[in-house]
Amino acid sequence: RTCSMASDTVILVDKNDKVVGTEEKLKAHQEGKLHRCFSIFVFNAQGELLLQRRAIGKYHSEGLWSNTCCSHQKPGEEENITVHQRLKEEMGFDCELKKAFVFSYKKTFANGLTEHEIDHVFIGTWNGTPKPDPAEVMDWKWISLEQLRQAILTDSEAYSVWFKKALTNPEFKQR
């Protein structure tokens, strides 16, 4: 499924992640409203992280490398169901996921949209070859955290902002 900005609704939250309402996704990003999202990090048995390169045409951060999967929980959806459903839709597989930590960030992009999110981070382990949705993902690769951190130092602009913030969060640990 392709993310449709016009029809998607996000969950608005306060700084303590308490639900305060809902908003149409594009409007929430145009107005920089704080909302809930999730990020999934999947590792293989060798400890490598599965990265995706966001498809050209995404509403922001297109063509950037990022974590395995990310999206927004929709109103009325159970988070533990949504994360699995979205992983299957975006990357073509599913695995056990455990919530690791939550963090918030705010970033305004050149196109005027603002990500102001409380991000729920999930970590899983899986071995295989993903079959990503080309409307969402233009490329993917497995990479060690050591190689990844070096690559980010070399070319930080090639990676999404939330991905870099999650990786540098003190609570980030490979599970």
Side-chain angles (χ1 to χ4, degrees):
R1 113 177 151 61
T2 303
C3 270
S4 167
M5 284 291 286
S7 63
D8 282 351
T9 303
V10 296
I11 299 171
L12 299 179
V13 294
D14 66 14
K15 63 182 172 57
N16 298 312
D17 199 28
K18 181 179 178 291
V19 176
V20 296
T22 61
E23 184 62 80
E24 187 272 316
K25 184 176 175 183
L26 182 57
K27 186 174 181 187
H29 288 88
Q30 289 169 332
E31 297 178 1
K33 292 183 177 179
L34 184 60
H35 60 280
R36 188 178 289 163
C37 72
F38 60 85
S39 293
I40 300 171
F41 289 73
V42 174
F43 292 87
N44 64 17
Q46 292 76 42
E48 296 170 316
L49 176 59
L50 178 58
L51 300 189
Q52 67 152 279
R53 189 168 178 207
R54 291 168 60 85
I56 300 301
K58 298 288 282 181
Y59 62 105
H60 68 73
S61 305
E62 64 180 3
L64 297 185
W65 287 99
S66 197
N67 49 287
T68 311
C69 176
C70 54
S71 192
H72 300 89
Q73 178 185 356
K74 293 179 182 53
E77 289 183 340
E78 292 291 324
E79 184 180 58
N80 62 344
I81 294 171
T82 300
V83 293
H84 291 282
Q85 183 178 353
R86 191 68 190 133
L87 183 58
K88 286 186 271 194
E89 290 171 355
E90 201 163 297
M91 296 302 288
F93 72 91
D94 193 15
C95 65
E96 183 179 337
L97 298 169
K98 291 189 168 93
K99 188 181 278 191
F101 61 95
V102 176
F103 73 101
S104 63
Y105 72 97
K106 185 175 185 180
K107 166 74 173 164
T108 300
F109 299 96
N111 66 3
L113 296 180
T114 298
E115 281 285 26
H116 191 194
E117 297 184 325
I118 293 190
D119 194 343
H120 294 229
V121 176
F122 290 80
I123 296 181
T125 303
W126 180 76
N127 295 289
T129 302
K131 294 175 182 61
D133 176 351
E136 299 285 343
V137 179
M138 64 186 289
D139 199 3
W140 61 271
K141 66 182 172 186
W142 292 101
I143 188 170
S144 73
L145 288 178
E146 183 180 316
Q147 290 173 313
L148 174 60
R149 289 191 172 106
Q150 190 58 49
I152 291 172
L153 285 174
T154 304
D155 187 10
S156 179
E157 295 304 308
Y159 298 87
S160 70
V161 64
W162 63 89
F163 176 50
K164 292 182 289 189
K165 289 200 178 289
L167 279 176
T168 58
N169 188 296
E171 294 183 69
F172 184 86
K173 295 178 197 74
Q174 179 182 340
R175 296 289 192 264

